[in-house]
């Protein structure tokens, strides 16, 4: 009997099939003992084949295990992707109950998975949005009943977590179609698939962005945004308004297109450095508008970085500060320049002096400071008005400025005083002094041509004080030196230039010490009144002039020329003048008891500053009341310059005092510029011929003519005429022949203290009653 043919190998492996056939044949031979004996199989061959088969089975098993591992790994990866997907995933059943939920959905809804499953999803929809959810479900069911393709709807709903908090969710919803034949038209959906994403932060960010865009459009500051490469990508309305460029004209260009010739290179360099180093820049820059007009911009440029620190944009914020710059420039101009002439003022001059001294230390060059004072400027103001004076000052400033070198400074210090600061005149004092002298002469020549003051030609002259300087001089010392030189120039006749020297400083130091002592003189009772007799043609005493003396404890008896100028400048003339009037009034009262002096008037010199006091008349009334002296015996002597300064107010004050009974004498007549019309208006009782005229008598015809004219004029105006400074009989005789009978001078007596005057009265004269 032939063995059965081997069945086909289901695995299709021919080697295995052959081996199986041999094994089956051997098995069949052992069970058929009555059959004829089968051929023997070599056992070693069989073992070899079995060994190969075992190895083959092991290899198949390893391949199967590897396939199983890959399948399990794929399932794990799928599960991980499913569980930790960026969106929450829910499977809802036909009644919208939750059948499956991934881990993301669990976290979004804030509920454990076991407590989610089986519950209706509408429980997590905010009450106000549940209607929208049900309408969505209805639409999906209707669409699923007649599907052409699987419908998909998107909606944003407000969902509520289990803890009550809410978030805005974006839902992608599609129906789950029934499988097989049930999925045919009209079968409907077996549930829904939901993808849920939390878009709360995104929508808030979008809202902030919209708000930011609205805010940027509303603010007046210019905002521009550039790419990391510096190209404009966005500008706001403020930028367009400030620059004049529209967004379309600006976008795609670099902001530097607005720079121009006036833009500061250092600022531009600082901006470029900040951009290169990716840090903020803050500063000011001059840019240009579309119409070419320059404007100042206060600019801030800041980098915008992403979460990884990478540069994404540059944001620039600019503010037009042109008006503030103009205001600041005007404030600076007002603070450092004279409002009338636009020249540097005292403050700016001091700053430039400090700079000049510092520069001289390194250069070794001398400079010079010139103080320029316009002579008789006050007279121009008084006679032609302050407008004319201001016009002169502006024209003087123009001439000085035109003649100036670029490194020098001309300044107005106030009033009619100008200062010229000149640099680099020479390395030696001799060279610098020579150059400064030439400049001083040039200044006088510059001011010499008459100034045209609205058709009035005004010849202007100036006094000039100059001081050389070089470090280590100080600003204070330099100003003091130049001022002393000017004082010397004015004191020696004006229209001159003087240099400072140490002798000037010594005189000034002495002056300051004297001023300090002058302040204490009244308190310490150091004033004395001396009286110089005034006589008639018979040498009888008809009055006295009170003359002030200072009994100085260190310098002895000082005459008015030694201190009156200082008293005038310091204002101390007011208390000193009051003391003189008080003493004179008291002396008049005391003389009333003595027959030799009763009826003698006392003439008192009154300074302009004293006479111009608003309460001067009230002071006289109080003095007369306190002393109880006879007013008609008090004679006030006024200088010609005092009378002519504001003649209208002068006359009013004189008339008010005349009502009280006082007399007036014009002192130093002929030294000023009084006209006959002014003289006729004044309520004067006496005209005094100045000693400068008397000293020349008798003499040249012209000197005698002047004296004769003064006497004739005074007598013609019904005034008594008296000559002062009479020292010779020849002078007295000439004056007498011309009609001037009253005299005072050394020919008759020097000024005497009160005790010596009393002896003079007793021994040499008899009083003549004049009241």
């Amino acid at each position: 009997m032939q063995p059965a043919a081997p069945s086909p190998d289901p695995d299709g492996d021919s080697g295995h099939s052959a081996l199986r056939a041999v094994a089956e044949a051997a098995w069949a031979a052992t069970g058929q003992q009555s059959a004829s004996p089968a051929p023997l199989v070599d056992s070693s061959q069989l073992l070899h084949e079995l060994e190969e088969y075992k190895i083959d089975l092991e290899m198949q098993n390893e391949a199967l295990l590897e396939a199983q591992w890959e399948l399990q790994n794929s399932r794990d990866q799928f599960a991980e992707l499913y569980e930790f997907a960026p969106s929450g995933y829910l499977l809802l059943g036909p009644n919208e109950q939750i059948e499956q939920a991934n881990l993301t959905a669990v976290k979004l809804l804030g509920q454990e998975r076991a407590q989610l499953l089986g519950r209706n999803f509408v429980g997590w929809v905010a009450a106000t949005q549940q209607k929208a959810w049900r309408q969505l479900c209805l639409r999906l069911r209707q669409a699923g009943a007649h599907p052409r393709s699987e419908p998909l709807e998107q909606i944003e709903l407000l969902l509520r977590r289990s803890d009550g908090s809410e978030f805005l969710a974006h839902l992608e919803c599609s129906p789950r179609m029934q499988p097989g034949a049930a999925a045919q038209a009209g079968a409907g959906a077996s549930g829904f698939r939901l993808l849920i994403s939390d878009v709360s932060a995104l929508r808030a960010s979008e809202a902030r962005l919209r708000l930011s865009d609205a805010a940027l459009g509303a603010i007046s500051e210019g905002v521009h945004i550039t790419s990391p490469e510096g190209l404009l990508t966005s500008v706001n309305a403020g930028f367009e308004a400030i620059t004049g460029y529209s967004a379309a004209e600006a976008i795609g260009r670099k902001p530097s297109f607005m720079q121009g010739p006036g833009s500061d290179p250092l600022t531009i360099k600082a901006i470029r450095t900040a951009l290169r180093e990716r840090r903020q820049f803050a500063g000011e820059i001059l840019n240009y508008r579309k119409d070419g007009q320059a404007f100042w911009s206060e600019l801030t440029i800041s980098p915008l970085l992403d979460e990884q620190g990478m540069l994404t944009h540059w944001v620039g914020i600019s503010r037009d500060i042109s008006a503030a710059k103009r205001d600041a420039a005007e404030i600076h101009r007002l603070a450092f320049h004279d409002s009338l002439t636009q020249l540097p003022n005292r403050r700016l001059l001091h700053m430039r002096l400090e700079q000049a001294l510092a520069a001289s230390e390194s250069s070794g060059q001398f400079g010079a400071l010139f103080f320029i004072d316009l002579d008789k400027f006050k007279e121009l103001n008084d006679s032609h008005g302050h407008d004319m004076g201001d016009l002169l000052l502006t024209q003087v400033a123009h001439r000085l400025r035109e003649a100036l070198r670029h490194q020098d400074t001309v300044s107005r210090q106030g009033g009619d005083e100008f200062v010229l600061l000149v640099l680099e005149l020479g390395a030696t004092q001799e060279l610098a002094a020579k150059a400064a002298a030439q400049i001083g002469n040039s200044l006088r020549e510059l001011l010499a041509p008459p100034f045209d003051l609205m058709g009035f030609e005004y010849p202007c002259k100036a006094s000039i004080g100059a001081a050389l300087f070089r470090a280590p001089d100080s600003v204070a010392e330099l100003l003091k030196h130049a001022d002393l030189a000017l004082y010397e120039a004015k004191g020696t006749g004006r229209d001159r230039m003087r240099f400072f020297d140490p002798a000037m400083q010594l005189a000034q130091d002495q002056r300051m010490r004297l001023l300090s002592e002058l302040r204490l003189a009244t308190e310490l009772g150091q004033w004395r009144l001396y009286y110089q007799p005034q006589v008639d043609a018979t040498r009888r005493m008809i009055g006295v002039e009170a003359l002030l003396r200072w009994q100085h404890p260190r310098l002895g008896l000082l005459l008015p020329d030694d201190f009156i100028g200082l008293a005038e400048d310091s204002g101390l003339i007011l208390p000193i003048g009051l003391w003189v009037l008080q003493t004179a009034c008291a002396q008049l009262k005391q003389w009333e008891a003595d027959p030799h002096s009763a009826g003698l008037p006392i003439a008192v010199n009154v300074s302009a500053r004293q006479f111009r006091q608003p309460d001067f008349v009230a002071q006289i009334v109080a003095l007369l009341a306190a002393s109880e002296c006879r007013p008609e015996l008090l004679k006030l002597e006024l200088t010609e310059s005092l009378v002519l300064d504001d003649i209208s107010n002068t006359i009013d004050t004189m008339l008010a005092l005349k009502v009280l009974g006082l007399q007036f004498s014009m002192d130093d007549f002929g030294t000023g510029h009084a006209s006959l019309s002014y003289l006729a208006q004044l309520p004067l009782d006496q005209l005094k011929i100045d000693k400068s005229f008397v000293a020349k008598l008798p003499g040249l015809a012209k000197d005698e003519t002047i004296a004769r004219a003064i006497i004739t004029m005074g007598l013609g105006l019904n005034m008594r005429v008296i000559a002062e400074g009479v020292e010779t009989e020849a002078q007295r005789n000439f004056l007498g022949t011309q009609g001037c009978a009253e005299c005072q001078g050394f020919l008759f007596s020097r000024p005497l203290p009160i005790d010596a005057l009393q002896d003079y009265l007793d021994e040499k004269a008899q009083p003549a009653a004049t009241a």
Side-chain angles (χ1 to χ4, degrees):
M1 181 175 182
Q2 296 291 330
S7 62
D9 182 7
D11 296 327
D13 190 332
S14 58
H16 292 175
S17 300
L19 182 61
R20 186 181 302 117
V22 172
E24 289 176 353
W27 178 261
T30 58
Q32 298 178 359
Q33 296 178 359
S34 60
S36 59
L40 296 175
V41 178
D42 187 356
S43 60
S44 60
Q45 180 183 357
L46 182 60
L47 289 173
H48 176 72
E49 291 179 354
L50 288 173
E51 190 68 30
E52 288 183 346
Y53 181 65
K54 176 183 177 183
I55 293 171
D56 192 44
L57 287 176
E58 289 175 352
M59 291 176 64
Q60 290 188 47
N61 187 48
E62 288 178 2
L64 180 60
L65 290 175
E66 184 176 354
Q68 289 177 342
W69 180 85
E70 290 178 354
L71 177 61
Q72 183 63 39
N73 188 43
S74 296
R75 292 178 61 187
D76 292 344
Q77 289 180 352
F78 174 78
E80 185 175 353
L81 289 173
Y82 169 75
E83 292 290 358
F84 298 101
S87 300
Y89 182 72
L90 295 177
L91 284 180
L92 306 184
N95 296 323
E96 304 164 25
Q97 71 276 13
I98 299 174
E99 294 181 352
Q100 289 186 31
N102 70 346
L103 187 58
T104 303
V106 169
K107 291 182 178 179
L108 284 173
L109 298 178
Q111 188 75 55
E112 295 292 337
R113 197 188 320 252
Q115 296 173 342
L116 280 176
L117 301 180
R119 296 181 61 183
N120 196 302
F121 177 73
V122 74
W124 278 269
V125 179
T128 57
Q129 308 245 276
Q130 289 183 2
K131 181 178 180 181
W133 165 251
R134 297 191 185 283
Q135 291 174 345
L136 172 67
C137 293
L138 179 61
R139 288 197 303 272
L140 287 173
R141 288 191 180 97
Q142 292 173 348
H146 306 282
R148 293 187 180 89
S149 60
E150 185 172 300
L152 174 69
E153 287 213 22
Q154 301 184 50
I155 190 173
E156 289 187 3
L157 294 176
L158 193 63
L159 301 184
R160 186 178 62 251
R161 300 184 182 91
S162 60
D163 62 1
S165 62
E166 295 179 340
F167 67 97
L168 184 65
H170 177 82
L171 274 64
E172 292 187 7
C173 309
S174 61
R176 295 167 59 193
M177 306 307 297
Q178 296 179 3
Q184 298 176 359
S190 61
F192 304 99
R193 298 186 186 90
L194 296 185
L195 284 178
I196 305 174
S197 301
D198 185 351
V199 294
S200 301
L202 176 62
R203 295 297 178 258
S205 176
E206 291 173 349
R208 286 194 299 270
L209 183 59
R210 288 193 299 272
L211 181 62
S212 176
D213 289 341
L216 289 179
I219 63 175
S220 59
E221 285 79 4
V223 179
H224 66 269
I225 300 174
T226 72
S227 66
E229 296 74 28
L231 297 177
L232 287 166
T233 60
S234 177
V235 299
N236 75 334
F239 177 93
E240 295 177 321
I242 292 172
T243 67
Y245 290 97
S246 67
E249 293 171 321
I251 290 175
R253 306 171 71 179
K254 289 189 175 183
S256 58
F257 79 89
M258 294 180 291
Q259 296 167 5
S263 302
D264 179 26
L266 294 178
T267 303
I268 295 172
K269 181 179 179 181
I271 292 175
R272 290 174 178 171
T273 301
L275 295 180
R276 185 171 61 253
E277 297 176 356
R278 295 192 174 183
R279 57 178 172 80
Q280 187 183 70
F281 168 83
E284 298 175 357
I285 187 171
L286 185 70
N287 282 334
Y288 291 83
R289 296 185 175 90
K290 182 179 179 181
D291 60 7
Q293 183 181 359
F295 71 98
W296 278 99
S297 176
E298 184 180 69
L299 177 64
T300 301
I301 304 175
S302 303
L304 284 184
L305 307 177
D306 60 17
E307 294 178 354
Q308 287 73 40
M310 300 298 292
L311 178 68
T312 62
H313 295 86
W314 290 97
V315 177
I317 300 177
S318 59
R319 185 166 62 92
D320 186 350
I321 58 171
S322 301
K325 279 285 188 179
R326 288 192 296 269
D327 292 343
E330 179 63 14
I331 291 171
H332 183 276
R333 188 188 65 79
L334 293 174
F336 292 100
H337 290 80
D338 172 55
S339 59
L340 176 64
T341 65
Q342 306 307 313
L343 294 178
N345 61 12
R346 187 184 304 272
R347 182 184 300 177
L348 184 53
L349 175 69
H350 282 215
M351 293 171 59
R352 293 189 178 174
L353 275 174
E354 291 176 351
Q355 295 169 359
L357 285 168
S360 72
E361 186 173 12
S362 58
S363 69
Q365 291 275 323
F366 280 89
L369 192 67
F370 296 85
F371 273 25
I372 306 169
D373 189 87
L374 305 184
D375 295 339
K376 299 183 179 180
F377 177 74
K378 187 175 184 300
E379 293 182 10
L380 174 66
N381 266 344
D382 293 342
S383 58
H384 292 84
H386 289 277
D387 290 343
M388 198 73 80
D390 288 348
L391 182 58
L392 174 63
L393 292 173
T394 57
Q395 292 190 18
V396 168
H398 177 73
R399 287 193 191 181
L400 293 173
R401 188 164 42 221
E402 289 296 312
L404 198 66
R405 299 181 303 175
H406 73 278
Q407 69 264 38
D408 301 329
T409 298
V410 60
S411 166
R412 181 183 176 220
Q413 300 296 284
D416 61 331
E417 187 174 288
F418 295 84
V419 176
L420 182 63
L421 172 62
V422 182
L423 308 179
E424 299 179 351
L425 293 181
T428 67
Q429 192 169 23
E430 291 75 18
L431 288 174
K434 184 178 180 179
Q438 293 175 347
I439 292 173
N441 291 331
S442 298
L443 288 174
R444 294 176 62 203
E445 293 174 1
L446 181 71
L447 299 176
F451 289 84
D452 182 5
L453 305 182
M454 300 176 64
F456 167 60
E457 286 196 354
Y458 180 77
C460 179
K461 296 182 179 180
S463 299
I464 303 173
L468 300 179
F469 68 86
R470 187 173 67 177
D473 293 341
S474 70
V475 171
E477 288 174 342
L478 180 56
L479 292 171
K480 183 189 297 184
H481 293 171
D483 190 50
L484 285 170
L486 176 62
Y487 184 81
E488 179 70 13
K490 293 169 67 174
T492 53
R494 300 178 183 272
D495 190 25
R496 287 173 171 81
M497 189 185 86
R498 289 290 183 270
F499 275 96
F500 168 80
D501 62 38
M504 294 182 193
Q505 184 63 57
L506 179 60
Q508 178 65 6
D509 292 342
Q510 293 174 346
R511 176 182 169 87
M512 291 299 100
R513 180 179 181 183
L514 194 64
L515 176 60
S516 177
E517 295 168 340
L518 186 63
R519 297 184 188 280
L520 299 174
T522 303
E523 181 182 344
L524 299 177
Q526 295 173 354
W527 298 120
R528 303 288 185 269
L529 270 190
Y530 277 52
Y531 302 89
Q532 185 170 35
Q534 297 174 334
V535 302
D536 62 10
T538 64
R539 297 200 178 193
R540 288 186 304 171
M541 193 165 136
I542 56 173
V544 295
E545 180 181 3
L547 299 170
L548 183 62
R549 302 290 186 267
W550 182 5
Q551 189 62 56
H552 194 283
R554 177 172 53 86
L555 302 174
L557 191 67
L558 300 181
L559 300 180
D561 288 347
D562 297 324
F563 61 85
I564 283 296
L566 188 59
E568 289 275 7
D569 294 342
S570 64
L572 293 174
I573 193 66
L574 297 180
I576 294 173
L578 182 61
W579 179 89
V580 171
L581 286 170
Q582 288 174 333
T583 305
C585 288
Q587 190 61 56
L588 285 173
K589 182 62 179 177
Q590 185 177 348
W591 276 350
E592 289 181 9
D594 187 343
H596 292 132
S597 57
L600 281 177
I602 297 180
V604 177
N605 291 281
V606 177
S607 73
R609 193 164 186 173
Q610 187 179 8
F611 187 80
R612 295 298 176 206
Q613 294 178 98
D615 64 341
F616 182 65
V617 175
Q619 289 182 29
I620 297 297
V621 170
L623 288 173
L624 294 174
S627 64
E628 299 181 345
C629 69
R630 294 165 58 186
E632 65 272 17
L633 297 180
L634 181 61
K635 184 190 300 181
L636 301 185
E637 290 196 357
L638 309 178
T639 62
E640 187 176 339
S641 59
L642 182 157
V643 170
L644 295 180
D645 183 14
D646 193 359
I647 188 144
S648 177
N649 285 333
T650 298
I651 293 174
D652 290 344
T653 302
M654 291 177 69
L655 290 175
L657 294 172
K658 289 287 287 185
V659 170
L660 300 177
L662 273 68
Q663 299 183 59
F664 285 98
S665 174
M666 179 177 282
D667 194 13
D668 301 336
F669 182 76
T671 60
H673 305 281
S675 67
L676 285 174
S677 60
Y678 284 156
L679 197 61
Q681 297 177 48
L682 297 170
L684 292 169
D685 302 284
Q686 186 182 66
L687 204 62
K688 179 179 281 190
I689 304 173
D690 188 70
K691 60 185 178 181
S692 62
F693 295 113
V694 174
K696 299 176 183 179
L697 300 175
L700 298 175
K702 64 177 182 179
D703 296 327
E704 294 179 356
T705 300
I706 293 174
R708 188 179 299 112
I710 294 173
I711 295 169
T712 302
M713 183 169 54
L715 296 176
L717 293 173
N718 295 318
M719 300 178 194
R720 299 195 310 276
V721 181
I722 185 171
E724 67 174 354
V726 178
E727 298 183 359
T728 68
E729 287 291 347
Q731 293 170 347
R732 175 179 176 274
N733 290 336
F734 176 84
L735 291 167
T737 59
Q738 302 303 317
C740 177
E742 299 179 3
C743 299
Q744 73 178 81
F746 288 178
L747 178 62
F748 312 105
S749 175
R750 292 179 176 274
L752 303 171
I754 189 60
D755 294 339
L757 177 65
Q758 192 64 46
D759 293 340
Y760 181 89
L761 286 170
D762 294 340
E763 297 175 4
K764 297 186 177 182
Q766 294 294 324
T770 60

